[in-house]
Amino acid sequence: MGLAILVLGLAVFLAPHTFTAFRAARADLIARVGIGPYKAVYSIVSLIGLVLIGHGFALYRAAGPIEVWYPPIWMRHVTVALVWPAIVCIVAAYSPGRIKTTLKHPFLVGVKLWALAHLLSNGDLGSIVLFGAILAWAVFDRISLKRRTDPGGPP
C-alpha cells in the first residue's frame, strides 16, 4: 500500500511542476483564475504531493523494502561526493554568480545530481521509483526549458 501512496504522491507533486512546462496552457489558466489563486492551488497541490510521498515512502519502508539490486557499499561514498555539488548547484540557483551563468539552470542540475546519486546507492523498488521519477522530471524540465521562448524561471 505504501508504494501505491508513494506513486500517487509523485503524480500529485509532479503534475503541477510538469504543467508549468506547457506555457500556453499555463498562461490561459492564469488568465482565467488569476496569478494569486494559481500560485495558491499550485502550492497546496505540491504540498499534498510531498506529504503523500513522505507518508507512502514511510509505509513502504515499514513494510520492508523490495530489493531490486544490491549496490556495493562504496557507492554510498559516491553518493556523498555527488550530493555536495548538488547542494551547491541548488543554492547557486538563488544566488548571482558564475555557477548560475555557466549552468543556466543550476537548480535542475542539482536535482538531477541528487536523484542520480540516490539511485546509485539505493537498490530497492521504492527508492528507484522515487528518485527515478524525480530524475525523469528534471530531465524533462531541462529539455522543455531549451524549447521555451521565456527564461523559464523567476527574474
Side-chain angles (χ1 to χ4, degrees), residues 20-147:
T20 302
F22 300 99
R23 303 311 259 187
R26 179 181 174 269
D28 290 344
L29 182 60
I30 290 171
R32 277 196 312 240
V33 300
I35 191 72
Y38 170 79
K39 286 182 177 183
V41 170
Y42 189 102
S43 299
I44 291 167
V45 169
S46 296
L47 185 61
I48 290 168
L50 276 176
V51 168
L52 287 171
I53 289 169
H55 183 64
F57 198 73
L59 289 176
Y60 162 76
R61 285 286 195 178
I66 302 166
E67 296 297 333
V68 176
W69 73 294
Y70 296 93
I73 295 295
W74 56 265
M75 198 62 78
R76 293 178 183 176
H77 302 294
V78 173
T79 298
V80 170
L82 290 174
V83 166
W84 279 106
I87 292 168
V88 170
C89 289
I90 289 170
V91 170
Y94 298 99
S95 310
R98 288 194 178 189
I99 295 174
K100 188 173 187 174
T101 55
T102 302
L103 295 179
K104 293 187 178 79
H105 300 285
F107 187 87
L108 289 175
V109 172
V111 169
K112 288 188 282 189
L113 269 175
W114 174 83
L116 177 65
H118 283 81
L119 278 172
L120 292 174
S121 65
N122 294 288
D124 63 284
L125 184 59
S127 296
I128 292 170
V129 168
L130 173 62
F131 301 120
I134 292 173
L135 178 60
W137 168 80
V139 168
F140 163 79
D141 201 46
R142 181 62 182 106
I143 291 169
S144 75
L145 280 166
K146 288 181 182 179
R147 297 183 178 162

